[in-house]
Amino acid sequence: MNTDISSLTASTLGSASSASSAANSSSTKKTMGLDMDDFLKILAASMSNPSLTGEGGDSSSSGTDYVSQMAQFATLQQLNDMSSTLNTSLLLTQQQQAFNLMGKEVTVLDETNAEHHGLVNQVSFAGGSAMITVDGTQYSLGAIKDVSEPAEN
């Protein structure tokens, strides 16, 4: 049974692409090009067509190779998920810190390292990053040098 590898690969990737297109419509689609379902479809197609491995005969190690590849893929997918979760957590923490600065007296440094003192009177977000406004000028949270309670009058 000698099948044209390029057409078989194209049809396998085509069906994986169809599955991927269906998954794209759901909100749970990962940002990676392939998800675990796509990987398993490609794996099943390559196992049912051993000529795709480039070996003439059956190899006893090919089964463990597939399991190893699947474990590596699952690990990569979990690391990507963890990275996304950590980024979201970092942004939420930064936003909460910015909200807690409202009404506080701060010392901030501008681009020339000049100090400016004033009350934080606004918090805004640019690209998910928190920005504070002091005396009409926006600063990133990294520009803050000191924070204190406002002086009582």
Side-chain angles (χ1 to χ4, degrees):
M1 180 169 152
N2 200 2
T3 307
D4 181 21
I5 292 175
S6 61
S7 66
L8 184 58
T9 304
S11 86
T12 303
L13 291 176
S15 61
S17 176
S18 299
S20 177
S21 296
N24 271 337
S25 63
S26 74
S27 62
T28 60
K29 177 66 180 164
K30 304 293 180 205
T31 58
M32 294 175 26
L34 291 174
D35 62 7
M36 187 60 82
D37 291 337
D38 295 335
F39 177 77
L40 291 174
K41 287 178 184 179
I42 292 170
L43 178 66
S46 65
M47 288 177 76
S48 65
N49 297 297
S51 63
L52 287 176
T53 63
E55 299 173 1
D58 290 334
S59 171
S60 61
S61 68
S62 64
T64 57
D65 290 344
Y66 291 130
V67 172
S68 174
Q69 290 172 1
M70 187 167 66
Q72 289 174 352
F73 188 84
T75 301
L76 178 63
Q77 190 171 15
Q78 289 174 350
L79 286 172
N80 282 333
D81 291 346
M82 188 183 326
S83 174
S84 176
T85 301
L86 286 172
N87 284 338
T88 301
S89 177
L90 177 66
L91 287 175
L92 289 173
T93 301
Q94 184 187 54
Q95 290 174 355
Q96 187 61 43
Q97 289 172 342
F99 285 131
N100 288 335
L101 291 171
M102 285 291 297
K104 302 278 176 121
E105 190 169 322
V106 296
T107 302
V108 291
L109 301 174
D110 65 12
E111 304 84 35
T112 63
N113 280 340
E115 291 186 2
H116 300 276
H117 306 280
L119 292 177
V120 176
N121 50 18
Q122 182 180 2
V123 173
S124 59
F125 302 97
S129 296
M131 304 288 286
I132 59 169
T133 302
V134 178
D135 294 331
T137 305
Q138 279 193 336
Y139 299 95
S140 70
L141 293 182
I144 297 172
K145 181 179 176 186
D146 293 318
V147 177
S148 61
E149 292 292 330
E152 296 285 331
N153 287 340

